[in-house]
Amino acid sequence: MSLKPLDVHFKVHLDLKKIELYEMGWNLKDGLRECLVAAAPYGGPISLLKGHNRRSPSARPQLEIYSSSGLPLASFPWKSGVVKQLGWTVSDDLLCVQEDGTVLVYDLLGGFKRHFSMGNEVSQSQVLETKIFHSPYGTGVAILTGALRFTLATNIDDIKLRRLPEVPGLQGAPSCWAVLTQDRQSKVLVANGSHLFILDNTACTPVTPPGLSPQASSIVHMCVSFSYKYLALLTDSGHVWMGTSNLKEKLSEVDTKIKTPPKQMAWCRRPKSQQPSAVVMWDGLLIVVGECKETIQYHLDDDSILVPELDGVRIISGTHHELLQEVPGACEEIFKIASMAPGALLLEAHKEYEKESQKADEYLREIKEQSLLSEAVRQCVEAAGHEHEPETQKTLLRAASFGKCFLSNFPPEQFVSMCRDLRVLNAVRDYTVGIPLTHTQFKQMTVQVLIDRLVYRKLYPLAIEICRYLKTPEYQGVSRVLKHWACYKVQQKEESDEVIAKAVSVKLADAAGIFYSEIATKAYESGRTELAIKLLEFEPRSGEQVPLLLKMKKSPLALSKAIESGDTDLVYTVVMYLKNELNRGDFFMMLRNQPVALSLYKQFCKHQEQDTLKDLFNQDDDHEELGNLYVKASYKEQRLEARIALLQSAVDEYYKAKNEFSAKTTEDEMRLLRFQRKLEEEKGELLVGFSLHDTMTTLLSVGLHKHAEQLYKDFRVPDKRFWWLKLKSLAEKEDWEELEKFGKSKKSPIGYLPFVEVCIKHHNKYEAKKYVSKVTPEQKVKAHLAVGDMEGAAEAAIERRNESEISTVLSRCSATTDHLLMERLNRAKATAVKK
Amino acid sequence: MQLPLVGVTVMLERNVLQVYPAAESVVGSLHMAHTEWRDAPELPDFSLLKRLARDQLIFLLEQLPGKKDLFIDADLMSPLDRIANVTILKQHEVDKLYKVELKPIVSSSDQLCFLIRPRIQTVKWISDLVNADKVAGRFRRYKIIFTPQKFYACETVLEEQGVYGDVTTDEWNFYILPLDDDILSLELPEFFRDNFLEGDQRWVTTAGSALHLLQSVYGSFSKVYGIGRCAKMVYESWRELMEEGEQRTRQPEFAKVFLVDRDVDFVTPLCSQVVYEGLVDDLFRIKCGSVEFGPDVTSSDKSIKVMLNSQDKVFSEIRNEHFSNVFGFLSQKAKNLQTAYDKRRGMDIQQMKAFVSDELKGLKQEHRLLSLHIGASESMMKKKTKQDFQELLKTEHSLLEGFEIRECITYIEEHINRQVSMIDSLRLLCLLSITENGLLSKDYRSLKAQYLQSYGIKHLLTFANLRQLGLLEEQQAGETLTVMESKVGKLVNDKTVGKLTDAFSSLAKKSNFRALSKRLALVPKSGEEYDLRVPRDMAYVFSGAYIPLSCKLIEQVLERDGWTGLEEVTRMLNGQEFAVTGGSSSSEARNKTDAQRIVLVMFLGGCTFSEISALRFLGKERGCRFIVVTTAITNSARLLEALLDNHA
């Protein structure tokens, strides 16, 4: 096989090649004449508006959208106002800027998305000129109004309109202007005659390009490079000045020798290239200017437009679509005539090898002698990336693969990824797809964005194919595409809910990271609530279903899903939503069926809405809880009457709940409160709020024995409690006489050991001893020990022949003083054990 | 004592072999198991969690540049102190620190920052503050940092009060506070009441996130077991987080996780604690790993705050001991210390110099701690060896054994009548009810009436709460729950039955303590002597009278590697058990790494120091180590106080 020579091959400091991308598939009668044209960078779609200047309603202009290969994507008559400018956003949306400053946004298949306005000032003074630009912040729109002022929006997805300062001395439309992105800010560069100004948010600064030929009286055209780094100016004297866009450095200046204003000018420069080069287009003529004085000229048959790209310029005419770019280094090295570069030699070696000629070895040896084989492989791989012709790519890659065989430890990644990339690129460059990306552009835009673009074009199968082929992680790749597909699918009106739901679930079944809720949202937005509900059923995360269900007013379902999710916060969200949405009765009814939600809401009410809580219990006839609620409220109430009233309500509720115990107790409490108040008034003792026990203690301690006894009788206080109370209070007051009387009043229900212990506690051994004799036999030992009577204790223990009691006494004896006693005890213990 | 001990050792060796097929080294070390534990697996370094929390807090504080006053929820004060002290806060332009008191504030700062738990009340208070400032025409910047997360309900309050736009909110994901080498706490005491009493499951996701955090920092788990409704939900929430997040293949640092609901075992936290650490908690209340010893302990006129953790060498030796041993141990220790001091005598100058520089400081430190702990145990002995406490313990043990119930009731009655202690009386009532499967109607009424006479009728509400939780109930004549379930089951499908059972079991938890105790041998046969100095099983934490149910369950499940054979037990505990094989594959799980012998136990609703001691003991026996994650440290008083209703 023979290699095709390069299409164009100049040896004038500048190596350019022009590649034919497509023969256009469209059939335009008048070519691009009289059309408003916009083509998106990165091989994006092309839009045409024919006869946009016609104002009569009878002949509406036609808006057409094509792929880069000229295949129709959409076409419809333009019914809105006069369009001044078309442009594409970074996400392949079409912007149509109207005379009145309204911007209409369409997707690439012609579907209307939204519109926005560029502000009152613009709509009043009308649009004179417009430029659509891209920056790291998204797609922006810059407008020059009839009042000769600039208005700018840097990102159309987050519109913040900025009106730039006035340009001094501007009488009519400026001769030319451009948008720059510098220092994280969008600025406008304006030429008024020979004066150049930079407009930013705050100021208008005059600037002078260094070294601009003095013979020019006006700057007639300007263009900024793709990266905003370089600027080219064309003067009325026909000179092209090229320099950095910060106007600090001049790169070159070339005389085109043509004085008429051009139609378009664009930079044609690959990243990292050392040579500046710009393309200027007139009717039928294209001139490339570079570093040296000579220019390269092309003849154009047809009306064309230039589309600046990252690494070149595309030229679109009525019939053809071409790419003009600087020849990449690797290609030049390899294909230069009689090149001795390692890559060229390797290619030659492989060619000979295919022919089974021993020359292959000679070439190889030559490369190896210079130890340039890995460089040769690298060159071939790189060059393959820049070639558009699959056959050439293959030849180069085969040569690289051949060279690789003679290298050990050569990292294979570059080769492998280039093969993959090229396969993808060839697929999308295909005529039917029509995305003529170069390898450099592809790397810049990333696979993710390419997948997005395919999805915008609804080329789902290809997108999935590419994801699988490139092994993109599922949730960024296949799943994402499937989700888009499903979102599109649910909008197809002609199919029934069942069919769509089934199709979606089958396709998406095992894809990871799919949120059915998003697809369902889409279905709902296109008016298919039933379908949305069906789709939500597939969503395994119940939490994800809730927001949409709420939006669709499927509140009961939303509530149960929220509860199912186990996320209390979500349940709260729904409950609060329902509270505002439903009337009270319905709301309560709904809660009643959902205990989890109900208990949550009760929690909320406890802090925020006590009354609502009461209503809730009322509705459920939960009298028990109502009673509790009243009791609780009574404790917060300061005034006694109100307190008693609340308790009365509680009593009523408790009776309704058939809880007699609580009712009776509460009634007792009311009685107690009244009693306490009466006594407070009479005796001045603070009593209200005390428990029965505390009340009695207080009464006894101040000597109101009668009243204490009254309580004892009235409230059926157990004897034991009363005896304990009285015993303690008398001992506390050290009223031993009264205590003795009390002890004798009748048989003590708590026995007499407590008497002994209480006396001892108040350090009155004498009194304590009085009661020892009355203690029951079982407690005798304890009583004796309590008063410190070892002998008595020993006596009692021995008498009862109780081993453990004897041991207890023994343990309390001291070896020195109770010697005899211990002997006796030990003897008794021995006999007790024997028995 | 010699013979049975050998028997125990042999039996243990067998168990060890069953659980860890290749753990010869563990067996080897068992001969000295009770003294020194040579083969303990290394625990992961949890201080990392503190650093993470601190860094995030600093980041959040810097979101509000400039000087600001910081208001902190009272119960966040101590945890915060463990993460970032005042100096660090000041470094990040915190001007003044205030405690949230729900009262009007006096602050002249133009920037107010609130570090709070997501509670409606607090948020409402902040809203009022903001509105008051508005009325006064005062402009300030407000920032609320919710920890560990914000809740929608809180934002709703901000919205309803019309201040949503005036404050910025943030989350400080401070889920876990490491209290010690093996204790991690969520510091959420309200978890218990919210989840089990109020049925508010908002903290479930918090617990799930805490586990997720542990997992993402320390690696995944090979197996997860759990029992209880809440445990199940926590696991679900954790699993969802796992699925959403990226999967990391890391060498796991824990072998197994065990999740347990507090309401699976109410008996254990209701018992008086008699292990040193538990007793200190019961008497002095350990707060966030530190305790304040009053003048009666310090034998001076001021209180001293002491950190109680493994850093304290004296404490770490006695924390797990039965308190009857502690005094002897401490006096021995004191003697040793004296001997060490005495070395000084007869030293020449050089030796003295070395002694002062090398040993004296350590001795002094030890001396200080020793005297504190001696003071504490003296004060303990004073309170606890009294007749009253002995009788209290005796009653508790009788209840656990189901022995002399009438006498117990009489004792409780007297306890109530004499107004000995509001909480203790309540505790005994609950113990009685749980162990006896509810009280007879007659007893229930009379005890309740007497309690109300002693402490006022506001406790009607307390009793309602206790009944709802199944802590204190009246025996119901007639149908049991299971009969009812099977009847309902015939009418509706299985899923609904599950839901209904849930509903029923939350309404009325039947405690089957007696049957459970028999089945799991929780109460050792009475009459046998139990040498508390040489514990033979976990029962030692309750003087040999009772093995904590929660810990026994953990032991059984780990031994069986699941719930098989425990069907009867789980049925009595209302089911809800689960066992899941986790992220790492089973072949990995058989690795002999240390990590495989670390078990994480999460208590939902709080755990007691006695349980931690019991697990430490179990770990020693089995050659593994337990890490306890709890929503908070609890004890009987905290548990019951959470159920009082007179504060709200």
Side-chain angles (χ1 to χ4, degrees), chain A residues 165-186:
Chain A
E166 211 167 342
V167 181
L170 197 62
Q171 299 298 327
S175 43
C176 60
W177 58 284
V179 182
L180 281 174
T181 295
Q182 275 176 349
D183 312 326
R184 300 198 289 168
Q185 212 191 83
S186 297

Side-chain angles (χ1 to χ4, degrees), chain A residues 436-447:
Chain A
L437 280 179
T438 66
H439 189 253
T440 318
Q441 291 165 14
F442 173 61
K443 281 296 168 201
Q444 178 73 24
M445 93 190 288
T446 72
V447 186

Side-chain angles (χ1 to χ4, degrees), chain B residues 325-516:
Chain B
N325 300 336
V326 170
F327 210 66
F329 176 88
L330 288 177
S331 53
Q332 185 57 46
K333 191 98 187 164
K335 271 181 212 146
N336 294 349
L337 200 63
Q338 191 58 50
T339 324
Y341 273 123
D342 287 349
K343 275 204 307 196
R344 282 181 300 183
R345 285 188 203 136
M347 277 182 185
D348 59 28
I349 299 273
Q350 208 55 39
Q351 285 168 318
M352 186 65 100
K353 211 174 154 193
F355 174 79
V356 171
S357 64
D358 302 338
E359 287 177 56
L360 196 59
K361 201 176 159 217
L363 287 176
K364 279 235 161 107
Q365 167 75 359
E366 201 171 329
H367 186 150
R368 194 182 70 87
L369 291 170
L370 196 57
S371 59
L372 271 178
H373 287 296
I374 288 179
S377 50
E378 264 174 353
S379 142
M380 252 175 222
M381 292 296 247
K382 240 183 259 161
K383 283 176 195 152
K384 294 297 179 182
T385 49
K386 273 204 296 195
Q387 195 76 22
D388 296 355
F389 186 62
Q390 291 303 330
E391 273 176 28
L392 187 75
L393 279 184
K394 206 182 122 219
T395 310
E396 277 180 33
H397 293 173
S398 301
L399 288 173
L400 291 166
E401 274 178 76
F403 194 63
E404 297 182 327
I405 295 302
R406 263 303 126 198
E407 280 80 353
C408 292
I409 293 177
T410 318
Y411 177 82
I412 297 172
E413 209 168 12
E414 191 185 312
H415 204 267
I416 295 170
N417 280 337
R418 289 172 58 193
Q419 244 188 4
V420 180
S421 148
M422 180 181 92
I423 290 293
D424 269 344
S425 296
L426 212 52
R427 182 164 70 84
L428 289 169
L429 283 174
C430 293
L431 259 184
L432 174 67
S433 165
I434 298 176
T435 53
E436 286 297 297
N437 234 346
L439 273 60
L440 293 173
S441 274
K442 180 173 68 77
D443 293 334
Y444 181 69
R445 277 165 201 232
S446 100
L447 287 170
K448 207 160 106 175
Q450 298 195 41
Y451 192 88
L452 294 176
Q453 285 188 353
S454 278
Y455 300 109
I457 72 145
K458 53 179 179 281
H459 288 288
L460 265 184
L461 307 173
T462 312
F463 283 111
N465 289 343
L466 291 172
R467 196 183 58 198
Q468 196 184 328
L469 269 182
L471 275 169
L472 182 55
E473 292 175 299
E474 199 173 345
Q475 271 177 15
Q476 298 287 340
E479 287 186 322
T480 60
L481 196 65
T482 29
V483 177
M484 215 146 93
E485 267 172 52
S486 65
K487 270 190 184 167
V488 176
K490 278 168 201 147
L491 297 170
V492 279
N493 62 35
D494 290 342
K495 204 177 165 189
T496 351
V497 172
K499 278 186 186 159
L500 278 175
T501 317
D502 281 1
F504 280 131
S505 56
S506 62
L507 281 177
K509 264 234 157 74
K510 271 277 166 274
S511 131
N512 295 294
F513 181 75
R514 204 64 70 211
L516 275 170

Side-chain angles (χ1 to χ4, degrees), chain A residues 568-569 608 691 694 721, chain B residues 124 152 201 419 450 453-454:
Chain A
T568 312
D569 215 19
Q608 292 287 78
S691 74
D694 294 341
R721 180 192 295 274
Chain B
K124 185 124 187 268
Y152 181 78
Q201 293 147 353
Q419 244 188 4
Q450 298 195 41
Q453 285 188 353
S454 278

